[in-house]
Amino acid sequence: MSKPDDKSGPRDPYFLRLQAALTEAGIASPTLVIDKARLDANIDTLMGHLPAGMAYRIVAKSLPSLDLIAHVRQRSGSDRLMTFNQPMLTALSKAMPEADQLLGKPLPVVAARNYFASLSSEDAPAAARVQWLIDTPDRLRQYRELAAATGQTLRVNLELDVGLHRGGLEAGDTLKTLLETLRDAPEFNFSGFMGYEPHLAALPEAMGWRDRAKSGAWRRYGEALAQAAQVLGAEAVSGLVRNAAGSPTYRYYQDTEVANEISAGSCLVKPTHFDTPLLEPHQPASFIATPVIKSLAQTRLPGLEFAADGQRAWDPNTSRTVFIYGGNWLAEPVDPPGLSYNKTFGRSSNQEMLTGGHNLAIAPDEFVFLRPHQSEAVFLQFGDIAVYEDGHITQRWPVFEASA
């Protein structure tokens, strides 16, 4: 094993400008920052890749802020949302009643009942724009009972298993029975299908594995569409929502032969889990900024002081230490360069220890910047999002309340 190189060095001018904006704004606690210019560039990149006729659905869980979603809606021109829990569904129905909301996962029928109970009479028209995701005959039966009890006519979207194998339907007798029920039951309006396939991006390209899986996913989707045409008629199927994709796979869709809308959200802020070749045109647009509490010229580990000299001699990246405000987030430090978590000291949610090389230069009250691994849970941990624009923090965008 070769001796590690010192990865520390001068700070990136971009992060120094971001630090100056945070200081100017009087921010002194862990904060989630979105670079608005990069966000806008990512929205434009996504929209520019969509083929003619392909609609875009905004994934709300990946952009968990009403103001953030409103900005994406305005710039993309989309009024389609994908929603994932009842509190989010209620909040979006109240704030954006004109939007079309497709559930991104099947909700227990009790959650659907709670949603209807949460709406005032003024909010009620928004409920007619919700597509409830159904994955089994039992769930369809439960939702039919709910429709009868509430006097609602429910729009139903059927979840397809196109290869992810996380549940859902495939062409066959069960799908045929559900389609016939949706055709005949006055409590329902059939709105379309959703077929999610994030596994494609994770499969190796070697020996054609990914291409075969992609062809298989589209074949499964096509078989479901063909069965729907047999039950409902070709004209009815032509008007259905055919939802697919997510951030890791949206660029696979070069036409509307299978899907006529794609869903994405994470690629607009690009956490580290989305650093993939397919998403290379997108820029990181979200960062955790947290103040340095202590900056130490030498790393010392409790109870292992005797080993410090040898550790530093072998790995210069353990030479210096900073303790930050908070920590233990799903995130990776990116500035100052060369910082890493100390495996011996362990993680901390109070004062996380980060170590770096001989050239690490950062003082208390300056900021360490980290990139989140994902957005949907991490964004909810910091209160209002700080919006960075033209060298300043110009807005604060409240986030959703944490919910499953």
Side-chain angles (χ1 to χ4, degrees):
M1 184 170 61
S2 59
K3 186 176 182 295
D5 295 327
D6 190 332
K7 298 177 181 177
S8 62
R11 297 192 64 182
D12 188 324
Y14 172 81
F15 290 109
L16 291 176
R17 292 192 295 271
L18 192 49
Q19 176 176 274
L22 292 164
T23 301
E24 175 190 58
I27 293 172
S29 59
T31 302
L32 196 288
V33 183
I34 285 182
D35 184 321
K36 194 173 183 182
R38 291 188 177 194
L39 170 66
D40 287 348
N42 288 337
I43 297 169
D44 295 347
T45 295
L46 183 148
M47 299 305 294
H49 279 296
L50 298 187
M54 183 71 79
Y56 167 51
R57 189 172 293 275
I58 302 164
V59 177
K61 73 176 176 62
S62 302
L63 306 167
S65 160
L66 289 175
D67 292 314
L68 174 54
I69 293 169
H71 179 77
V72 175
R73 285 187 68 199
Q74 186 275 326
R75 191 165 184 97
S76 68
S78 174
D79 64 354
R80 305 184 188 206
L81 307 176
M82 181 171 279
T83 313
F84 288 81
N85 59 57
Q86 181 263 310
M88 186 186 299
L89 185 64
T90 296
L92 288 165
S93 290
K94 291 175 180 291
M96 305 174 186
E98 71 285 356
D100 179 286
Q101 295 193 68
L102 168 62
L103 269 297
K105 64 185 178 188
L107 293 189
V109 72
V110 173
R113 185 178 296 114
N114 292 342
Y115 165 73
F116 288 114
S118 73
L119 301 181
S120 68
S121 57
E122 291 79 10
D123 302 322
R129 298 183 177 92
V130 175
Q131 299 181 54
W132 300 96
L133 193 66
I134 297 296
D135 58 333
T136 65
D138 279 348
R139 201 179 306 277
L140 187 65
R141 175 187 54 78
Q142 292 172 344
Y143 273 72
R144 188 173 187 179
E145 292 171 358
L146 173 66
T150 60
Q152 301 284 335
T153 300
L154 303 182
R155 298 173 72 206
V156 168
N157 189 295
L158 294 179
E159 181 180 19
L160 299 177
D161 179 4
V162 295
L164 181 60
H165 304 322
R166 193 176 63 182
L169 300 153
E170 299 181 58
D173 291 342
T174 300
L175 178 59
K176 181 174 182 288
T177 298
L178 265 64
L179 288 168
E180 289 172 343
T181 300
L182 292 171
R183 179 193 63 195
D184 300 334
E187 296 90 351
F188 296 133
N189 284 327
F190 180 43
S191 62
F193 292 108
M194 184 187 78
Y196 186 41
E197 26 59 340
H199 61 287
L200 298 181
L203 293 174
E205 293 183 301
M207 302 175 65
W209 283 3
R210 185 183 298 175
D211 285 342
R212 283 197 299 274
K214 183 167 60 176
S215 297
W218 292 349
R219 174 181 52 77
R220 288 167 181 258
Y221 213 133
E223 288 170 351
L225 291 172
Q227 189 160 33
Q230 292 173 357
V231 174
L232 306 173
E235 184 176 349
V237 171
S238 67
L240 295 177
V241 168
R242 292 178 275 118
N243 179 272
S247 286
T249 57
Y250 86 87
R251 290 186 63 201
Y252 287 143
Y253 292 85
Q254 301 297 314
D255 56 46
T256 57
E257 183 177 346
V258 175
N260 59 13
E261 69 168 36
I262 61 94
S263 300
S266 294
C267 64
L268 304 185
V269 289
K270 201 179 184 184
T272 62
H273 283 178
F274 298 85
D275 288 344
T276 66
L278 202 69
L279 294 178
E280 190 173 350
H282 291 265
Q283 307 174 66
S286 57
F287 304 95
I288 298 166
T290 190
V292 172
I293 302 296
K294 300 156 188 172
S295 182
L296 309 180
Q298 192 175 78
T299 297
R300 303 176 70 202
L301 294 172
L304 298 172
E305 292 87 354
F306 65 91
D309 289 343
Q311 186 182 46
R312 288 193 297 270
W314 169 252
D315 185 358
N317 298 294
T318 62
S319 299
R320 300 188 178 208
T321 289
V322 296
F323 288 91
I324 59 174
Y325 189 148
N328 203 23
W329 303 299
L330 294 172
E332 294 299 322
V334 292
D335 188 83
L339 283 178
S340 61
Y341 302 115
N342 191 286
K343 295 180 181 178
T344 304
F345 192 87
R347 305 298 301 271
S348 171
S349 301
N350 176 34
Q351 295 183 63
E352 182 119 68
M353 180 186 195
L354 300 173
T355 54
H358 296 290
N359 298 313
L360 173 64
I362 190 168
D365 301 336
E366 294 184 318
F367 284 83
V368 165
F369 292 91
L370 307 93
R371 284 185 62 200
H373 292 171
Q374 56 169 247
S375 57
E376 55 200 67
V378 178
F379 278 29
L380 303 179
Q381 299 178 48
F382 303 94
D384 295 354
I385 296 168
V387 181
Y388 175 63
E389 184 178 16
D390 297 329
H392 305 280
I393 303 300
T394 58
Q395 299 178 73
R396 299 300 297 267
W397 288 345
V399 296
F400 291 131
E401 293 183 11
S403 184

